[in-house]
Each structure stands twice: as structure tokens, then as C-alpha cells.
Amino acid sequence: METFIAKRLIIRGMVQGVGFRPFIFNLANRLSLKGNVSNISSGALINIEGRAGDIESFCDLIPAQCPPLALITDSSIQNVSFRKFKEFSISASSIDNDKTGMVLPDISICDKCVSEMLDPLDSRYQYPFINCTECGPRYSIIEDIPYDRHKTSMKQFKMCETCLSEYTDYKNRRFHAQPNACKKCGPKLCLYDRHKNIINTKNPVKETANLLKSGYIVAIKGIGGFHLAVDAKNDDAVKLLRQRKIRPDKPFAVMSFSIENIKKYALVEKKEEKSLCSLQRPVVLLKKKFPFSLSEAIAPGNCFTGVMLPYAPLHYLLLQESFSALVMTSGNISGEPVAAKSNEAFEKLSDIADYFLINNREIIHRSDDSVIKYISDSPAFIRRSRGYVPAPVILKNNVPQILACGGDLKNVICLTKNNKAFLSQHIGNIENPETFRFCMETIKHMQSLFNIKPEIITHDLHPDYLSSKFAKKYASENTDIVRVPVQHHHAHIAACMAENMIDGPVIGVALDGTGYGTDGSIWGGEVLVVEAGRFQRLAHLAYIPMPGAAAAVREPWRMGIAYLYHTFGDDFFDFGIPFLQKIDTKKVKTLIQMISAKINSPLTSSMGRLFDAVAAIAGIRNNITYNGQAAMELESVSSIRNKKLYEYFLDNNEIVSIDVRPMIREIVLDLEKGIETGIIGRKFHNTLIRMLADICSTIKKKTGLNRVALSGGVFL
Ligand SMILES: [Zn+2]
Ligand SMILES: [Zn+2]
């Protein structure tokens, strides 16, 4: 005889406002189980009664088949006494008391909504704000929790009768879909010229498409902010956008209607296709197909191009007007945060855009598009923002409530609570006053949204960073808070460990451009042993002066000269390599005087600067207009197959100093022999890999550690 049992399940995580209760309702009915489901503060509570075997299947099927937006972080189950439920029901009673710490990210439009929107017989035909419980804006429209319509920027739109009946029917796909709207009751589009004059048109989308086809630049309000759009095939339009945005070379992201369209100009592997089609719809860096069928000005000198699929209904409507691709770059003045409010867009972007396609749904939390790149089989974030934020990174253990202030250049802040780390959207360079304000605003919003009162504030060890100064001020104003400065590369490796739920100690290889070291010099080519709260430096690139400090970052030729001088002394002047022939000898001499006299030439072990030096010496470029440009262009030419290596030297000191002078010597020899830049680049990459593997295996022998964590911008 079969046993009948009664259980109570608590499902924690992001399960509210995602169609979770209707899913449970249907699943229980399918298995002939009785009971009820309701929302509670931390997630959902399920009372379930029935045959033991069916309840077992029920429990297995919840994680396996739950709605795509639901994120179950943890669950518990207990035996309870029978209440003899007659049926399975959804209890909506606790909906008003929800105080969940989980807020959903903005999610791309779902297939069902796309097909409704493209169906001439549907009431939401061509409606650019269509959504349901499985899709649509979330974080970008929320003012406060609980996530309910009156606490979102949808509150100004009163639902019509039809929308309301969908919203209140738990069998409907739009049950409690907070942004639910239709043509009659929801947000609307309006097209303006740059002087804020309304363009009279019945179909603003079609009109915008026509403008784009004619080569105009249009600022388009999206989910997390404005995009600046141009036709990606129109070379003149792309160049005009570069000129007006004062962004000479940094790649632009493009958006295409479908994977098939993308495959016409880029190589798409299965794993990349999966990410492109994911609910988060990030920009994925793909290898270009040659000849490249879009404008060369989109990603000049780069073998990768950043591509995404449409994620807002409006994107589909625009792209179906027969574009191969649209450039969709963040609508901001370089260095400032992306514009999110309409008046802000007019104020900031009217020198760039010719037209503005605007809507009257307010963006509460702005965020840029996320960017990922595959490193072998794993996706790595270049930018974790729209679509992912504010979903937490789940930690292995509970931690105190911490506010981590991030660095200054590509700032992201983080708040922790229990076993969750809430990372903010990409904030940017906070040396820019607007961006600094955005950072402050984000800290405040996130603290209030997740109800976090930090016990600890952490910041970069760099004493002059604005983020460090802010942390000091914050700690002085909140005397019960503990302030902890953290070394930059220690933080890199610790973050990698946290993300992968790994306890230390590990060997950490942190390679990037700039990080303030414990000895006051600029680190960036570091091999460390890291345990959660401490680290030991075991190897680093040999120190070299950075003549001109920040200028040496913008002008890779300075690092080229520094490495040549470091390797050859004064002898290098007579080398017959193109790099030296192109630079004014006077400038070179001044630079060497700076190095010798130690004027404005801080010491660095930065891997980013070594890439710059090699790129310059190899003749790739002497100056850059965006971060990492020289290294990316060096990588782009290095795809040639070649297994050869250059020499390097590792000393026997307790902290190994990595001497790359033998490599620089051989690179110069190769250049004198006229060896192709691509081969030199390839050999350089091979050498770094071998060198770091060598160091790691030496450390393994010494310490017994056999796990390596890799982190830092150089890996991207
Ligand atoms: Zn939908
Ligand atoms: Zn309606």
C-alpha cells in the first residue's frame, strides 16, 4: 500500500514575480497533489500532501523545470502533520508583506511576447513595451521593495481592464507581471529632433528606421539607459559617430536581429550562441569573419567584434526593418555614466545625436550592457551589468555585512549580506565627477534596497584613490564600522576564489595594468599565494621605470624605450628597427634622462605595461586612445600558429624577480631579421604562458599547492 505524507517546503532565492507560484500550482495538479503555495519574505512556502513517490517527483521537478527567471539559492523540507487539503491552491495573502532581499535583473523579452508582438492579430501587435512574468524590465524600474507595481516607475500607468484581468488571474502569463501594459494603458514612444521638437509621425519606430537608413545618429532610450545608434553598414555614419563622440578607436557594440544575421559577419561557436541567446543578452565578443561585411570603423585593428541580440521589444521592431546590424553604443559622453533620463539625454547627447527616440517609462537604475568573452570554454565577464545586476554572487559561507568600494578606473561596488555578494552595475571611472556621483547614488540605493548596514568598509590600498578617500570619510562618520584597505591583486585573486567557492590557499596569478603595491610601487605582474584574509607575494615582473607615470599608460612607446634601455643601456640607439626610426631621437633622449634622474618615473611590475612595450617595439602602435588598445591589437595579430618561445630568466630569490630582458633582446633580433609581427606576438604570448607555468610549478614544489587562480584585465 502506498504511503501518504505531508511536507512543508521553503524555497529561497529569486522566486517572486517570475511565475513561480503558477508553476508550482500546475506541477502539483499534474501529480495530483494537494496543498498550497504562498510567498514569504525569503521566497516561497509550499504545503504539500499526497503519495510519497509523487511528492518525491514534485521535489525533483521544482529545480529541474522551474521558470527560467527563478533562481533558487537554497531550500528546506520538513515533515508536518496532515491538514487534509481538498485541492492545491495559490495563496496570495502574504503578497503585500513581501520583504525579500532579492531583486530580479532586467531580462530580455521572451519568445512568447516576441511572437505576440509580431502577430498582426494580437492586441499588442508592434507594442514596444510588451512583457510578461517571464520577461521584461525589473531592476531598472524598481524604486523600492517589495517589488510591486506601485513601487516601480510603472506606477504612473493605470492598468486598463484587460491588463488588470491578466494581472489578477493566476492562470495568466501576466499574473503579477508588474510592468504589464498595453497600447491603451502603457508607456508610449515619441520621436524628437535634437532641438526637442516632436517629429509628427504615426509610427515612430518606422520613422527612426528610415532616419538610421539615411545615415543619421539616433539616441534611443532602452532598458538601462540610452543607446546611440547608427546603421552598422554605413561607414560614414559610424565614422561620424566616432567623431562626435570623440572616441577614435574603441570598439562599438552592434546588435542584430538573429543569430543567422550575426553569422554573416562573425564566427559564432555553440557556447557563444548560448550566451547570445541567454535571458541576459550580453554583448559577446566574437571573432570577425573576413572580409568583414560591416563598417571597418566598428572595431578597427581588432579581430573581435562585440555583438548582442535584441533584448527590448523595441530592438526587435527596429531591427526587423532590414538592418544587418545596428551600432548600439552606450549613450554617454565619454567617461560619464550612460544617460537614463530624457532631459539628461537632450542635455548631454544633442551634440552627438540627430534624433531622439524616447519613451515615458522612467529608468530608476541605469545600467550599461554587459560584456562577456569566452576563455576556452568558460565565459568571462568584461563587464557585469544589465541582465545580471543585482542578482548576487552566492558565496560559500556567510560573511559580515561589508561595503567594498572598488577601484577608481572601472569602478563597481559590492555589498554583502549572509552568503550573498551584491555587485553593482558597471559604474566607470569615478575620477569623472558625474560618475563619482553615480557611484555614491548606487551605494545608497543598493544599501536601502537590500537593507544592508555595513559593519566593514573595504577599499583599495591606493591612498590617493577617490574610492579610498570616500571609505576613510565614511568610516570617520560611522565610528562603529571597521575600515580594511586591501591590496589590489590580493582582491583580484580573492574575488576569483569567492566566485568559484574555493577556500585558500591557492597560487594566484594576477596580471593587469595598475595596482598599488604594499611597497608603494605599481604592481601588475604578480604571482601570490592567497588565503582569504592574507597573501604573500612570491614572484613578480622585475621592476622597471614608467617614464611619465600616467603618460606612459597613454603612450606605449615610453614603455618600449624603458624596456630597450633596461635591456641594452645606451646601445639601442643604433638599432635598425622601425619603432626607433619613427620616433624623434630628442624625445627618446629626454625620456632616458627622466629614467636616469628618476624624474616622474615610478617603478612598476605591470604586465599591462610589458604588453604595451612589446606592442610598441614590434611597431604596432605608439599611442593609445583607449585602455588596453595596444595589447588588444598585439593579440589580434598573434593568431598565427607558432610554438617557438623566447628566453627569460628567473632568479632564486625568495620573491622571484622575473627578468624578461633576454626576451626583449630576441624580439629585437627577430625585428632586425624582418620576422613578421604576428610571429613575434605569438612567441611573446607563448613565452608568458611558459614563464608563468614555470613559476607556478616551482611554487607547487615548494608549497604543495596545486590550485591556481587567474585574474586581472590581461586575461581578457
Ligand atoms: Zn514575455
Ligand atoms: Zn492595458
Side-chain angles (χ1 to χ4, degrees):
M1 201 186 127
E2 283 200 72
T3 355
F4 280 76
I5 56 169
K7 299 255 185 202
R8 172 174 294 169
L9 276 74
I10 292 177
I11 310 285
R12 295 183 194 87
M14 295 196 292
V15 292
Q16 297 182 9
V18 295
F20 189 75
R21 285 177 301 161
F23 155 73
I24 291 295
F25 174 85
N26 290 324
L27 183 62
N29 279 326
R30 219 164 73 209
L31 296 165
S32 308
L33 298 169
K34 317 280 185 235
N36 62 20
V37 55
S38 58
N39 279 338
I40 53 167
S41 60
S42 59
L45 172 80
I46 305 167
N47 288 301
I48 194 90
E49 295 180 2
R51 288 190 188 89
D54 293 336
I55 289 188
E56 201 179 308
S57 313
F58 178 78
C59 294
D60 290 345
L61 289 171
I62 292 175
Q65 295 183 355
C66 74
L69 294 195
L71 174 76
I72 298 173
T73 54
D74 138 50
S75 63
S76 59
I77 184 161
Q78 63 181 120
N79 291 319
V80 288
S81 51
F82 270 95
R83 285 163 62 181
K84 296 195 178 132
F85 289 103
K86 296 254 179 323
E87 55 177 9
F88 195 92
S89 63
I90 292 181
S91 148
S93 57
S94 59
I95 195 93
D96 290 331
N97 300 324
D98 286 352
K99 189 80 186 172
T100 170
M102 302 287 258
V103 179
L104 282 168
D106 300 307
I107 295 298
S108 79
I109 179 173
C110 71
D111 293 346
K112 286 176 206 154
C113 286
V114 171
S115 55
E116 282 179 1
M117 182 178 65
L118 301 181
D119 174 6
L121 299 177
D122 194 277
S123 65
R124 289 188 177 88
Y125 176 55
Q126 295 196 333
Y127 181 56
F129 302 93
I130 187 170
N131 66 83
C132 70
T133 46
E134 288 186 5
C135 74
R138 297 287 188 274
Y139 183 54
S140 62
I141 58 166
I142 190 170
E143 288 171 349
D144 196 6
I145 50 172
Y147 174 61
D148 210 348
R149 190 169 175 111
H150 69 275
K151 293 199 170 175
T152 71
S153 57
M154 285 302 293
K155 67 184 173 199
Q156 57 160 318
F157 304 100
K158 193 172 180 300
M159 270 186 272
C160 69
E161 247 172 65
T162 322
C163 286
L164 191 64
S165 70
E166 294 170 328
Y167 181 86
T168 46
D169 174 9
Y170 65 77
K171 289 190 197 115
N172 194 286
R173 219 173 84 234
R174 299 196 163 91
F175 174 63
H176 279 272
Q178 305 304 346
N180 190 25
C182 73
K183 286 178 193 172
K184 214 156 73 182
C185 65
K188 287 181 177 53
L189 288 177
C190 193
L191 181 63
Y192 294 83
D193 69 12
R194 68 200 314 172
H195 307 293
K196 275 197 197 178
N197 300 312
I198 293 181
I199 307 294
N200 273 319
T201 167
K202 275 205 175 118
N203 192 337
V205 175
K206 189 127 197 141
E207 189 62 36
T208 301
N210 290 339
L211 290 166
L212 289 166
K213 276 178 198 157
S214 311
Y216 288 107
I217 300 170
V218 186
I220 299 172
K221 188 174 175 184
I223 301 292
F226 275 79
H227 280 118
L228 287 162
V230 291
D231 180 354
K233 278 208 157 183
N234 186 330
D235 210 38
D236 291 338
V238 179
K239 284 179 180 157
L240 184 66
L241 177 58
R242 288 212 171 278
Q243 196 190 327
R244 288 195 191 159
K245 217 186 166 200
I246 317 173
R247 178 163 149 160
D249 307 297
K250 193 177 175 189
F252 285 142
V254 298
M255 183 185 273
S256 284
F257 187 79
S258 66
I259 289 284
E260 289 64 43
N261 285 359
I262 295 172
K263 283 181 177 165
K264 287 180 187 151
Y265 59 85
L267 301 168
V268 189
E269 290 188 36
K270 267 271 159 292
K271 59 196 177 193
E272 291 160 339
E273 183 169 336
K274 206 174 145 206
S275 292
L276 284 165
C277 297
S278 69
L279 300 165
Q280 292 84 1
R281 296 283 154 100
V283 173
V284 180
L285 298 193
L286 301 174
K287 286 221 172 80
K288 284 178 180 170
K289 241 184 199 171
F290 290 103
F292 191 51
S293 60
L294 306 178
S295 163
E296 278 299 337
I298 285 171
N302 204 309
C303 63
F304 288 95
T305 186
V307 183
M308 62 186 146
L309 283 172
Y311 55 87
L314 175 62
H315 299 153
Y316 276 100
L317 295 176
L318 272 173
L319 281 157
Q320 67 165 359
E321 299 288 335
S322 66
F323 290 102
S324 297
L326 287 173
V327 166
M328 293 288 263
T329 188
S330 294
N332 61 345
I333 298 178
S334 290
E336 290 195 359
V338 61
K341 306 220 182 303
S342 304
N343 51 3
E344 183 189 4
F346 278 118
E347 189 190 312
K348 305 267 183 192
L349 305 177
S350 56
D351 288 340
I352 304 175
D354 301 298
Y355 293 91
F356 290 76
L357 182 61
I358 283 177
N359 68 66
N360 54 346
R361 184 175 69 197
E362 201 192 334
I363 295 169
I364 307 291
H365 300 282
R366 64 182 112 201
S367 59
D368 290 275
D369 293 316
S370 296
V371 184
I372 64 167
K373 181 184 180 184
Y374 270 83
I375 298 177
S376 64
D377 281 334
S378 319
F381 280 110
I382 291 178
R383 173 188 292 173
R384 184 182 182 275
S385 213
R386 194 256 319 139
Y388 298 92
V389 168
V393 172
I394 305 296
L395 306 173
K396 195 173 175 188
N397 303 308
N398 282 352
V399 294
Q401 299 199 354
I402 304 170
L403 165 60
C405 301
D408 270 14
L409 296 182
K410 288 176 182 160
N411 183 270
V412 165
I413 65 111
C414 179
L415 283 157
T416 60
K417 187 177 189 177
N418 303 326
N419 66 337
K420 297 179 188 77
F422 298 97
L423 290 148
S424 74
Q425 61 271 54
H426 163 79
I427 290 172
N429 183 351
I430 58 171
E431 283 167 8
N432 179 300
E434 287 281 330
T435 312
F436 185 79
R437 260 198 293 281
F438 175 35
C439 176
M440 295 299 110
E441 192 183 288
T442 305
I443 291 175
K444 224 166 149 191
H445 273 155
M446 285 180 59
Q447 266 185 250
S448 118
L449 208 53
F450 301 115
N451 194 17
I452 292 175
K453 193 176 180 308
E455 304 150 62
I456 298 172
I457 186 164
T458 68
H459 62 91
D460 195 285
L461 191 63
H462 201 308
D464 298 332
Y465 270 3
L466 293 174
S467 48
S468 304
K469 289 179 179 165
F470 161 75
K472 281 176 199 160
K473 187 162 168 272
Y474 191 99
S476 71
E477 287 163 2
N478 300 271
T479 43
D480 50 346
I481 201 168
V482 179
R483 182 173 66 86
V484 182
V486 182
Q487 200 281 325
H488 190 86
H489 304 95
H490 177 201
H492 260 301
I493 301 302
C496 178
M497 290 161 69
E499 200 181 334
N500 292 288
M501 295 195 178
I502 289 169
D503 289 326
V506 300
I507 301 170
V509 179
L511 307 178
D512 67 1
T514 303
Y516 189 83
T518 50
D519 58 1
S521 50
I522 300 166
W523 293 10
E526 311 302 316
V527 185
L528 317 169
V529 166
V530 178
E531 269 181 274
R534 55 168 190 254
F535 77 97
Q536 198 189 346
R537 192 187 198 199
L538 290 190
H540 61 87
L541 277 180
Y543 282 130
I544 186 161
M546 266 173 83
V553 179
R554 292 188 301 270
E555 300 175 15
W557 70 271
R558 291 174 183 251
M559 289 315 298
I561 297 295
Y563 266 101
L564 288 178
Y565 184 62
H566 182 55
T567 308
F568 300 100
D570 287 328
D571 294 346
F572 77 87
F573 275 98
D574 308 326
F575 294 165
I577 57 174
F579 166 57
L580 291 170
Q581 287 155 1
K582 275 191 271 172
I583 314 176
D584 183 358
T585 318
K586 256 194 246 153
K587 276 168 84 181
V588 176
K589 286 195 169 144
T590 314
L591 206 75
I592 287 171
Q593 278 165 6
M594 280 173 77
I595 294 172
S596 314
K598 297 184 178 156
I599 298 166
N600 195 22
S601 300
L603 293 179
T604 187
S605 57
S606 163
M607 184 59 85
R609 297 296 80 76
L610 176 60
F611 270 83
D612 283 353
V614 171
I617 295 170
I620 287 184
R621 72 166 47 245
N622 287 346
N623 298 293
I624 57 166
T625 64
Y626 66 91
N627 219 326
Q629 184 178 10
M632 281 159 76
E633 291 179 3
L634 178 64
E635 182 191 357
S636 284
V637 299
S638 302
S639 54
I640 297 169
R641 274 175 193 273
N642 189 304
K643 287 190 172 167
K644 287 190 184 150
L645 297 171
Y646 292 121
E647 296 282 324
Y648 52 88
F649 178 74
L650 306 175
D651 63 23
N652 287 322
N653 295 338
E654 196 161 333
I655 301 177
V656 178
S657 169
I658 307 165
D659 185 354
V660 294
R661 282 177 298 182
M663 175 176 76
I664 300 291
R665 225 170 266 137
E666 286 184 293
I667 289 177
V668 170
L669 280 177
D670 273 357
L671 284 165
E672 284 177 334
K673 278 189 239 159
I675 304 268
E676 225 179 302
T677 323
I679 294 177
I680 294 173
R682 183 77 218 191
K683 285 167 78 178
F684 166 66
H685 281 84
N686 293 345
T687 308
L688 294 187
I689 295 164
R690 170 61 65 82
M691 180 176 95
L692 291 162
D694 246 13
I695 295 167
C696 289
S697 54
T698 309
I699 295 176
K700 181 185 166 182
K701 271 181 215 144
K702 242 195 264 177
T703 61
L705 297 175
N706 64 354
R707 192 133 56 172
V708 182
L710 310 174
S711 182
V714 168
F715 288 102
L716 300 170

